[in-house]
Amino acid sequence: MRQHRDALHRKAPAPGGAAAVPAAPLTPAVSDPADLEREAGLARLFELHYSSMLRLAVLLGADDPENVVAEAYYQIYRKWRRLRDTEAAEAYLRSTVCNLTRMRIRHLQVARRHVEKPVEEVIASAESTALLHDDQRVLIDALQQLPARQREALVLRHWLGLKESEIASAMGISCGSVKTHTARGLAALTQAMEARR
């Protein structure tokens, strides 16, 4: 009888003859607090600014604005720990979108020069199309005809409402150059819009 009682208190071996091992809880390992802070900061940045960064890329003429913005978020993710002030992340993100769009446009211009067959018309994504209302299409078309620097200066100034110093920082130019590009872009845009009326 005693042997039977002892057998009841012993654990049965697991299938395959291995001893039963208590299951470990399914919680993730504790992560580095800096990583947790970075994840939270980027999530906040994404919630607050994704739509405006996407619109910025569209207005600057990116043919693939979603990829440009995704790349900008990836770059800020990689450099998060080196940011001196995480409050400046929006400005860094905006500057990155501007730079990536400019690089993408240059790349496409070079690629199109070397293509033997005619380039087919670029079809805008559904997200890009949804962002633009019919009454804005004429303005956007005229804006796309401007040189890149003038277009950037106008979008940053009149769409985002940035100060000259913020525009200069985003574009990597002096405040005087911002004034020049803005004035020339506005004059060219006004002339193009009047010609279409």
Side-chain angles (χ1 to χ4, degrees), residues 173-186:
I173 59 177
S174 69
C175 288
S177 294
V178 169
K179 289 178 184 178
T180 301
H181 288 307
T182 303
R184 288 180 182 168
L186 195 55

Side-chain angles (χ1 to χ4, degrees), residues 32-38 76-84:
D32 181 8
D35 286 340
L36 293 174
E37 184 269 332
R38 174 172 65 174
I76 200 168
Y77 174 82
R78 286 181 37 230
K79 297 176 181 177
W80 189 264
R81 290 184 181 163
R82 288 182 272 162
L83 287 176
R84 291 188 187 115

